[in-house]
Amino acid sequence: MSEKLDLLFRAPRVITAAGEVARSVGVRDGRIVVIEPLEADLEADQVIQLGDDEVLLPGLVDTHVHVNEPGRTDWEGFASATRAAAAGGVTTIVDMPLNSIPPTVNADALAVKRKVASDQAYVDVGFWGGAVPGNVPDLRSLHDAGVFGFKCFLLHSGVDEFPPLDPDELELALKEIASFGAMMIVHAEDAHAIDHAASPGGENYADFLASRPRGAENLAIAEVIELARWTGCRVHILHLSSSDALPMIESARRDGVKLTVETCPHYLSFTSEEVPAGATQFKCCPPIREAGNRELLWQGLADGIIDCIVTDHSPCTVDLKRFDIGDFGVAWGGIASLQISLPAIWSEAKRRGHSLIDVVRWMAENPAKQVGLNTKGHIALGYAADFAVFAPDSAFVVDVAKLHHKNPVSAYDQRALAGVVRSTWLAGKRIDLEEDPRGRLLSRGMA
């Protein structure tokens, strides 16, 4: 190299397209420009020598984060969420169109959100648009303004300002979105099935689980698949919790339906059998299901039916979890895990024989691919110099009081996890949470 590099990692262990290898990785102007053997003769302004216990990973991409700002900034916010992301090795997030006020259902609301986020982001931030009753005319303008796709619910979202679509409204929205080649992401639970299920009230988790039966999820996913087949729209199933749906997802893909699927760390980490009475920190929708279901989700990942793992980080204030009464029926549903998603998944993945190569595919490569971030998710020439330095053989016990999430509530509190993120790098510079934030606001199509 005739020109000096800005940054050089000398890493005995790097996750690349060639697998886990020893490499020198060089950066200039925020991009990876050199990948050479470990002892290559290279010079840089800054040289980072990683230890044998450290692995250089691409920065993770979390496409399912509820930042909640503006409007519910006491639940979370761009500063706290992106600090947590950076501390957890996540260099890119895509923010959901709710639970902010206003919800991101038109271009004006997107502009409000971008303005609020502009000087607070420690990592790169993109945005989803929302599809709600009556806003089909707004979808194209949101797309043109740079959202990565559109989210809808098929039942009450939990907040009144983001209502669900009925089947006819969903079909109209899918036709419109297909007309300009965008993607719909769907919270797939059937409202009628849940209306006829058991009451969710009380402190017994089994009662709450019965109130959100897997049949409601299966039915909704089947409906979405058929509408995607008819309209040709690209669809993505959010937070899959029911392993029953895996065969129909696989079948639809064989038929050519444009379908991708995610699941979340809590469905892969916890089981319904272990949730204590009144422990509403474990409440989420769809719910955490049985141990056998969890293992089938892991098999779905191994088989490539489930594409990616993202957090569905959905925090709230302590009082909304209703620890005073422990009632699953009235507590807010959502699990905060943005900062600890990598060790949470690595802890479970390695005991099932999976490698860091698998984890990177599920948590960086495939989420980036899903939303069209074509220079993220890999350590490869020309890609963004976004990295996480990870010590996979270290361990720690989660203490919610020490996390950067705004509120000290998480189902992972006091859980022992494997793997420690030692540093996170964005565009070739280490993220220092004591300095001013320098994350970018992303639009669809940005390199």
PDB file of all heavy atoms in Angstrom, residues 382-407:
ATOM      1  N   GLY A 382     -14.338  -2.746   0.796  1.00  0.00           N
ATOM      2  CA  GLY A 382     -15.334  -1.780   0.393  1.00  0.00           C
ATOM      3  C   GLY A 382     -16.463  -1.585   1.381  1.00  0.00           C
ATOM      4  O   GLY A 382     -17.262  -0.657   1.222  1.00  0.00           O
ATOM      5  N   TYR A 383     -16.536  -2.437   2.378  1.00  0.00           N
ATOM      6  CA  TYR A 383     -17.622  -2.342   3.361  1.00  0.00           C
ATOM      7  C   TYR A 383     -17.301  -1.291   4.422  1.00  0.00           C
ATOM      8  O   TYR A 383     -16.150  -0.901   4.622  1.00  0.00           O
ATOM      9  CB  TYR A 383     -17.862  -3.701   4.014  1.00  0.00           C
ATOM     10  CG  TYR A 383     -18.802  -4.584   3.230  1.00  0.00           C
ATOM     11  CD1 TYR A 383     -18.438  -5.069   1.974  1.00  0.00           C
ATOM     12  CD2 TYR A 383     -20.056  -4.914   3.708  1.00  0.00           C
ATOM     13  CE1 TYR A 383     -19.300  -5.876   1.231  1.00  0.00           C
ATOM     14  CE2 TYR A 383     -20.931  -5.713   2.984  1.00  0.00           C
ATOM     15  CZ  TYR A 383     -20.541  -6.179   1.748  1.00  0.00           C
ATOM     16  OH  TYR A 383     -21.400  -6.956   1.010  1.00  0.00           O
ATOM     17  N   ALA A 384     -18.349  -0.841   5.103  1.00  0.00           N
ATOM     18  CA  ALA A 384     -18.180   0.096   6.208  1.00  0.00           C
ATOM     19  C   ALA A 384     -17.291  -0.518   7.277  1.00  0.00           C
ATOM     20  O   ALA A 384     -17.401  -1.703   7.589  1.00  0.00           O
ATOM     21  CB  ALA A 384     -19.538   0.460   6.791  1.00  0.00           C
ATOM     22  N   ALA A 385     -16.440   0.309   7.829  1.00  0.00           N
ATOM     23  CA  ALA A 385     -15.520  -0.153   8.876  1.00  0.00           C
ATOM     24  C   ALA A 385     -16.221  -0.119  10.227  1.00  0.00           C
ATOM     25  O   ALA A 385     -15.847   0.618  11.144  1.00  0.00           O
ATOM     26  CB  ALA A 385     -14.256   0.691   8.881  1.00  0.00           C
ATOM     27  N   ASP A 386     -17.275  -0.916  10.330  1.00  0.00           N
ATOM     28  CA  ASP A 386     -18.052  -1.067  11.559  1.00  0.00           C
ATOM     29  C   ASP A 386     -17.680  -2.407  12.180  1.00  0.00           C
ATOM     30  O   ASP A 386     -17.843  -3.455  11.538  1.00  0.00           O
ATOM     31  CB  ASP A 386     -19.550  -1.060  11.259  1.00  0.00           C
ATOM     32  CG  ASP A 386     -20.048   0.236  10.644  1.00  0.00           C
ATOM     33  OD1 ASP A 386     -19.284   1.220  10.629  1.00  0.00           O
ATOM     34  OD2 ASP A 386     -21.211   0.265  10.182  1.00  0.00           O
ATOM     35  N   PHE A 387     -17.194  -2.374  13.416  1.00  0.00           N
ATOM     36  CA  PHE A 387     -16.669  -3.592  14.039  1.00  0.00           C
ATOM     37  C   PHE A 387     -17.113  -3.704  15.489  1.00  0.00           C
ATOM     38  O   PHE A 387     -17.391  -2.704  16.156  1.00  0.00           O
ATOM     39  CB  PHE A 387     -15.133  -3.596  14.034  1.00  0.00           C
ATOM     40  CG  PHE A 387     -14.490  -3.353  12.707  1.00  0.00           C
ATOM     41  CD1 PHE A 387     -13.853  -2.148  12.431  1.00  0.00           C
ATOM     42  CD2 PHE A 387     -14.499  -4.337  11.728  1.00  0.00           C
ATOM     43  CE1 PHE A 387     -13.251  -1.923  11.218  1.00  0.00           C
ATOM     44  CE2 PHE A 387     -13.896  -4.126  10.504  1.00  0.00           C
ATOM     45  CZ  PHE A 387     -13.270  -2.913  10.243  1.00  0.00           C
ATOM     46  N   ALA A 388     -17.110  -4.944  15.973  1.00  0.00           N
ATOM     47  CA  ALA A 388     -17.206  -5.231  17.395  1.00  0.00           C
ATOM     48  C   ALA A 388     -16.042  -6.136  17.765  1.00  0.00           C
ATOM     49  O   ALA A 388     -15.799  -7.144  17.083  1.00  0.00           O
ATOM     50  CB  ALA A 388     -18.528  -5.908  17.729  1.00  0.00           C
ATOM     51  N   VAL A 389     -15.323  -5.766  18.793  1.00  0.00           N
ATOM     52  CA  VAL A 389     -14.271  -6.632  19.339  1.00  0.00           C
ATOM     53  C   VAL A 389     -14.909  -7.435  20.465  1.00  0.00           C
ATOM     54  O   VAL A 389     -15.342  -6.871  21.475  1.00  0.00           O
ATOM     55  CB  VAL A 389     -13.069  -5.815  19.838  1.00  0.00           C
ATOM     56  CG1 VAL A 389     -12.040  -6.731  20.497  1.00  0.00           C
ATOM     57  CG2 VAL A 389     -12.438  -5.036  18.678  1.00  0.00           C
ATOM     58  N   PHE A 390     -14.946  -8.749  20.270  1.00  0.00           N
ATOM     59  CA  PHE A 390     -15.731  -9.629  21.131  1.00  0.00           C
ATOM     60  C   PHE A 390     -14.826 -10.680  21.748  1.00  0.00           C
ATOM     61  O   PHE A 390     -13.998 -11.288  21.061  1.00  0.00           O
ATOM     62  CB  PHE A 390     -16.822 -10.299  20.285  1.00  0.00           C
ATOM     63  CG  PHE A 390     -17.825 -11.109  21.058  1.00  0.00           C
ATOM     64  CD1 PHE A 390     -18.600 -10.545  22.049  1.00  0.00           C
ATOM     65  CD2 PHE A 390     -18.017 -12.457  20.755  1.00  0.00           C
ATOM     66  CE1 PHE A 390     -19.551 -11.285  22.731  1.00  0.00           C
ATOM     67  CE2 PHE A 390     -18.957 -13.212  21.428  1.00  0.00           C
ATOM     68  CZ  PHE A 390     -19.726 -12.622  22.423  1.00  0.00           C
ATOM     69  N   ALA A 391     -14.978 -10.875  23.068  1.00  0.00           N
ATOM     70  CA  ALA A 391     -14.231 -11.904  23.792  1.00  0.00           C
ATOM     71  C   ALA A 391     -15.192 -13.049  24.102  1.00  0.00           C
ATOM     72  O   ALA A 391     -15.899 -13.022  25.118  1.00  0.00           O
ATOM     73  CB  ALA A 391     -13.645 -11.332  25.067  1.00  0.00           C
ATOM     74  N   PRO A 392     -15.270 -14.070  23.244  1.00  0.00           N
ATOM     75  CA  PRO A 392     -16.328 -15.075  23.370  1.00  0.00           C
ATOM     76  C   PRO A 392     -16.190 -15.986  24.576  1.00  0.00           C
ATOM     77  O   PRO A 392     -17.171 -16.597  25.004  1.00  0.00           O
ATOM     78  CB  PRO A 392     -16.214 -15.872  22.067  1.00  0.00           C
ATOM     79  CG  PRO A 392     -14.804 -15.681  21.622  1.00  0.00           C
ATOM     80  CD  PRO A 392     -14.436 -14.296  22.044  1.00  0.00           C
ATOM     81  N   ASP A 393     -14.979 -16.089  25.128  1.00  0.00           N
ATOM     82  CA  ASP A 393     -14.779 -17.007  26.249  1.00  0.00           C
ATOM     83  C   ASP A 393     -14.850 -16.319  27.610  1.00  0.00           C
ATOM     84  O   ASP A 393     -14.734 -16.974  28.645  1.00  0.00           O
ATOM     85  CB  ASP A 393     -13.429 -17.721  26.107  1.00  0.00           C
ATOM     86  CG  ASP A 393     -13.375 -18.566  24.847  1.00  0.00           C
ATOM     87  OD1 ASP A 393     -14.410 -19.164  24.492  1.00  0.00           O
ATOM     88  OD2 ASP A 393     -12.306 -18.612  24.204  1.00  0.00           O
ATOM     89  N   SER A 394     -15.035 -15.012  27.608  1.00  0.00           N
ATOM     90  CA  SER A 394     -15.277 -14.294  28.858  1.00  0.00           C
ATOM     91  C   SER A 394     -16.744 -14.431  29.236  1.00  0.00           C
ATOM     92  O   SER A 394     -17.559 -14.912  28.450  1.00  0.00           O
ATOM     93  CB  SER A 394     -14.887 -12.823  28.711  1.00  0.00           C
ATOM     94  OG  SER A 394     -13.501 -12.683  28.480  1.00  0.00           O
ATOM     95  N   ALA A 395     -17.071 -14.020  30.452  1.00  0.00           N
ATOM     96  CA  ALA A 395     -18.453 -14.152  30.921  1.00  0.00           C
ATOM     97  C   ALA A 395     -18.762 -13.028  31.894  1.00  0.00           C
ATOM     98  O   ALA A 395     -17.856 -12.377  32.436  1.00  0.00           O
ATOM     99  CB  ALA A 395     -18.658 -15.510  31.587  1.00  0.00           C
ATOM    100  N   PHE A 396     -20.050 -12.799  32.113  1.00  0.00           N
ATOM    101  CA  PHE A 396     -20.478 -11.789  33.073  1.00  0.00           C
ATOM    102  C   PHE A 396     -21.905 -12.102  33.503  1.00  0.00           C
ATOM    103  O   PHE A 396     -22.590 -12.929  32.891  1.00  0.00           O
ATOM    104  CB  PHE A 396     -20.398 -10.384  32.478  1.00  0.00           C
ATOM    105  CG  PHE A 396     -21.411 -10.099  31.394  1.00  0.00           C
ATOM    106  CD1 PHE A 396     -22.518  -9.301  31.637  1.00  0.00           C
ATOM    107  CD2 PHE A 396     -21.261 -10.633  30.119  1.00  0.00           C
ATOM    108  CE1 PHE A 396     -23.451  -9.035  30.654  1.00  0.00           C
ATOM    109  CE2 PHE A 396     -22.188 -10.370  29.112  1.00  0.00           C
ATOM    110  CZ  PHE A 396     -23.290  -9.568  29.387  1.00  0.00           C
ATOM    111  N   VAL A 397     -22.332 -11.455  34.559  1.00  0.00           N
ATOM    112  CA  VAL A 397     -23.709 -11.557  35.039  1.00  0.00           C
ATOM    113  C   VAL A 397     -24.392 -10.224  34.775  1.00  0.00           C
ATOM    114  O   VAL A 397     -23.882  -9.167  35.162  1.00  0.00           O
ATOM    115  CB  VAL A 397     -23.755 -11.912  36.534  1.00  0.00           C
ATOM    116  CG1 VAL A 397     -25.190 -11.899  37.036  1.00  0.00           C
ATOM    117  CG2 VAL A 397     -23.110 -13.270  36.777  1.00  0.00           C
ATOM    118  N   VAL A 398     -25.540 -10.270  34.118  1.00  0.00           N
ATOM    119  CA  VAL A 398     -26.250  -9.044  33.757  1.00  0.00           C
ATOM    120  C   VAL A 398     -26.742  -8.329  35.014  1.00  0.00           C
ATOM    121  O   VAL A 398     -27.358  -8.941  35.890  1.00  0.00           O
ATOM    122  CB  VAL A 398     -27.445  -9.356  32.832  1.00  0.00           C
ATOM    123  CG1 VAL A 398     -28.215  -8.077  32.503  1.00  0.00           C
ATOM    124  CG2 VAL A 398     -26.971 -10.047  31.553  1.00  0.00           C
ATOM    125  N   ASP A 399     -26.464  -7.048  35.076  1.00  0.00           N
ATOM    126  CA  ASP A 399     -26.968  -6.180  36.142  1.00  0.00           C
ATOM    127  C   ASP A 399     -27.680  -5.023  35.443  1.00  0.00           C
ATOM    128  O   ASP A 399     -27.039  -4.178  34.816  1.00  0.00           O
ATOM    129  CB  ASP A 399     -25.818  -5.672  36.994  1.00  0.00           C
ATOM    130  CG  ASP A 399     -26.279  -4.750  38.124  1.00  0.00           C
ATOM    131  OD1 ASP A 399     -27.464  -4.361  38.137  1.00  0.00           O
ATOM    132  OD2 ASP A 399     -25.438  -4.403  38.980  1.00  0.00           O
ATOM    133  N   VAL A 400     -29.004  -4.986  35.532  1.00  0.00           N
ATOM    134  CA  VAL A 400     -29.746  -3.965  34.791  1.00  0.00           C
ATOM    135  C   VAL A 400     -29.345  -2.555  35.192  1.00  0.00           C
ATOM    136  O   VAL A 400     -29.450  -1.622  34.394  1.00  0.00           O
ATOM    137  CB  VAL A 400     -31.271  -4.135  34.934  1.00  0.00           C
ATOM    138  CG1 VAL A 400     -31.762  -5.370  34.227  1.00  0.00           C
ATOM    139  CG2 VAL A 400     -31.695  -4.111  36.388  1.00  0.00           C
ATOM    140  N   ALA A 401     -28.867  -2.392  36.403  1.00  0.00           N
ATOM    141  CA  ALA A 401     -28.474  -1.065  36.862  1.00  0.00           C
ATOM    142  C   ALA A 401     -27.247  -0.551  36.121  1.00  0.00           C
ATOM    143  O   ALA A 401     -26.978   0.655  36.124  1.00  0.00           O
ATOM    144  CB  ALA A 401     -28.207  -1.081  38.368  1.00  0.00           C
ATOM    145  N   LYS A 402     -26.507  -1.453  35.483  1.00  0.00           N
ATOM    146  CA  LYS A 402     -25.288  -1.059  34.776  1.00  0.00           C
ATOM    147  C   LYS A 402     -25.476  -0.976  33.265  1.00  0.00           C
ATOM    148  O   LYS A 402     -24.524  -0.669  32.542  1.00  0.00           O
ATOM    149  CB  LYS A 402     -24.160  -2.034  35.119  1.00  0.00           C
ATOM    150  CG  LYS A 402     -23.774  -2.016  36.590  1.00  0.00           C
ATOM    151  CD  LYS A 402     -22.661  -3.007  36.885  1.00  0.00           C
ATOM    152  CE  LYS A 402     -22.274  -2.979  38.361  1.00  0.00           C
ATOM    153  NZ  LYS A 402     -21.211  -3.969  38.679  1.00  0.00           N
ATOM    154  N   LEU A 403     -26.672  -1.264  32.775  1.00  0.00           N
ATOM    155  CA  LEU A 403     -26.933  -1.169  31.345  1.00  0.00           C
ATOM    156  C   LEU A 403     -27.252   0.277  30.960  1.00  0.00           C
ATOM    157  O   LEU A 403     -27.664   1.077  31.795  1.00  0.00           O
ATOM    158  CB  LEU A 403     -28.102  -2.076  30.955  1.00  0.00           C
ATOM    159  CG  LEU A 403     -27.922  -3.579  31.217  1.00  0.00           C
ATOM    160  CD1 LEU A 403     -29.178  -4.342  30.821  1.00  0.00           C
ATOM    161  CD2 LEU A 403     -26.704  -4.129  30.475  1.00  0.00           C
ATOM    162  N   HIS A 404     -27.084   0.597  29.690  1.00  0.00           N
ATOM    163  CA  HIS A 404     -27.353   1.950  29.214  1.00  0.00           C
ATOM    164  C   HIS A 404     -28.809   2.164  28.835  1.00  0.00           C
ATOM    165  O   HIS A 404     -29.190   3.290  28.501  1.00  0.00           O
ATOM    166  CB  HIS A 404     -26.452   2.268  28.015  1.00  0.00           C
ATOM    167  CG  HIS A 404     -25.008   2.401  28.374  1.00  0.00           C
ATOM    168  ND1 HIS A 404     -24.496   3.521  28.985  1.00  0.00           N
ATOM    169  CD2 HIS A 404     -23.971   1.543  28.224  1.00  0.00           C
ATOM    170  CE1 HIS A 404     -23.193   3.359  29.192  1.00  0.00           C
ATOM    171  NE2 HIS A 404     -22.851   2.163  28.741  1.00  0.00           N
ATOM    172  N   HIS A 405     -29.636   1.111  28.869  1.00  0.00           N
ATOM    173  CA  HIS A 405     -31.067   1.303  28.648  1.00  0.00           C
ATOM    174  C   HIS A 405     -31.589   2.326  29.660  1.00  0.00           C
ATOM    175  O   HIS A 405     -31.125   2.380  30.802  1.00  0.00           O
ATOM    176  CB  HIS A 405     -31.827  -0.010  28.836  1.00  0.00           C
ATOM    177  CG  HIS A 405     -31.300  -1.147  28.022  1.00  0.00           C
ATOM    178  ND1 HIS A 405     -31.524  -2.461  28.361  1.00  0.00           N
ATOM    179  CD2 HIS A 405     -30.561  -1.174  26.884  1.00  0.00           C
ATOM    180  CE1 HIS A 405     -30.942  -3.253  27.473  1.00  0.00           C
ATOM    181  NE2 HIS A 405     -30.360  -2.494  26.571  1.00  0.00           N
ATOM    182  N   LYS A 406     -32.574   3.106  29.265  1.00  0.00           N
ATOM    183  CA  LYS A 406     -33.027   4.189  30.138  1.00  0.00           C
ATOM    184  C   LYS A 406     -33.660   3.681  31.430  1.00  0.00           C
ATOM    185  O   LYS A 406     -33.529   4.303  32.488  1.00  0.00           O
ATOM    186  CB  LYS A 406     -34.008   5.097  29.386  1.00  0.00           C
ATOM    187  CG  LYS A 406     -34.499   6.269  30.206  1.00  0.00           C
ATOM    188  CD  LYS A 406     -35.173   7.319  29.351  1.00  0.00           C
ATOM    189  CE  LYS A 406     -34.170   8.118  28.549  1.00  0.00           C
ATOM    190  NZ  LYS A 406     -34.812   9.268  27.861  1.00  0.00           N
ATOM    191  N   ASN A 407     -34.356   2.537  31.361  1.00  0.00           N
ATOM    192  CA  ASN A 407     -35.045   2.005  32.532  1.00  0.00           C
ATOM    193  C   ASN A 407     -34.460   0.651  32.947  1.00  0.00           C
ATOM    194  O   ASN A 407     -34.199  -0.199  32.093  1.00  0.00           O
ATOM    195  CB  ASN A 407     -36.539   1.860  32.235  1.00  0.00           C
ATOM    196  CG  ASN A 407     -37.226   3.206  32.127  1.00  0.00           C
ATOM    197  OD1 ASN A 407     -37.502   3.857  33.126  1.00  0.00           O
ATOM    198  ND2 ASN A 407     -37.480   3.652  30.898  1.00  0.00           N
TER     199      ASN A 407
END
